[in-house]
Amino acid sequence: FMIGRLNHVAIAVPDLTAAADQYRETLGAKVGPSQDEPDHGVTVVFIELENTKIELLYPLNENSPIQGFLDKNPLGGIHHICYEVDNILEARDHLILKGSRILGNGEPKIGAHGKPVLFLHPKDFTGTLVELEQA
Ligand code: CO
């Protein structure tokens, strides 16, 4: 097993419009429209960079998993990083064998890009929430 490319870095933000404007106008990045992702409780703006993507995450409602993170990090902050894998079930089984915990029920969900994703417990990965996406 070997991880693939960095697919995206996700940043939780307290003001989605301000953050998108900053990436567009200050950094000159290619910023997409905002999209609601009800399955994940977030509104997302995708930013395309040459070598990867940035996802700006904003809570879709009060029950959003992002809300607690923003309560602790009111200015926003890096929420997770996403690596690509060739086969998500093979990756999951390998990681479980290596002692990593998978969040949720252990079954892949369809992520913001329409592909299967899983999240690994941050306590097993140097305090970083890691998402795996089948490329
Ligand atoms: Co993600």
Side-chain angles (χ1 to χ4, degrees):
F1 171 76
M2 194 176 157
I3 61 164
R5 295 154 63 103
L6 174 66
N7 184 276
H8 61 269
V9 176
I11 303 175
V13 301
D15 183 333
L16 192 55
T17 304
D21 287 351
Q22 184 177 51
Y23 268 83
R24 187 187 300 106
E25 285 153 34
T26 306
L27 296 178
K30 198 169 134 196
V31 176
S34 71
Q35 298 174 213
D36 290 346
E37 302 285 345
D39 287 352
H40 298 273
V42 292
T43 301
V44 188
V45 168
F46 296 112
I47 298 168
E48 294 279 344
L49 303 181
E50 278 194 25
N51 59 345
T52 191
K53 296 184 279 283
I54 304 294
E55 288 182 14
L56 303 177
L57 302 178
Y58 183 78
L60 182 58
N61 53 45
E62 289 158 20
N63 306 321
S64 173
I66 301 300
Q67 189 58 58
F69 182 90
L70 283 173
D71 291 343
K72 282 181 232 149
N73 303 276
L75 297 176
I78 294 178
H79 182 264
H80 66 266
I81 56 178
C82 177
Y83 299 122
E84 295 178 1
V85 297
D86 287 336
N87 181 318
I88 198 144
L89 296 177
E90 187 186 295
R92 175 194 65 187
D93 294 346
H94 170 80
L95 285 156
I96 290 171
L97 272 178
K98 292 288 187 183
S100 304
R101 287 166 288 176
I102 310 295
L103 298 187
N105 66 4
E107 294 306 317
K109 271 190 174 184
I110 297 303
H113 306 284
K115 295 179 175 167
V117 302
L118 283 173
F119 286 90
L120 308 179
H121 201 300
K123 287 193 174 154
D124 299 335
F125 281 92
T126 59
T128 305
L129 180 57
V130 173
E131 179 179 19
L132 300 177
E133 180 176 297
Q134 185 163 290

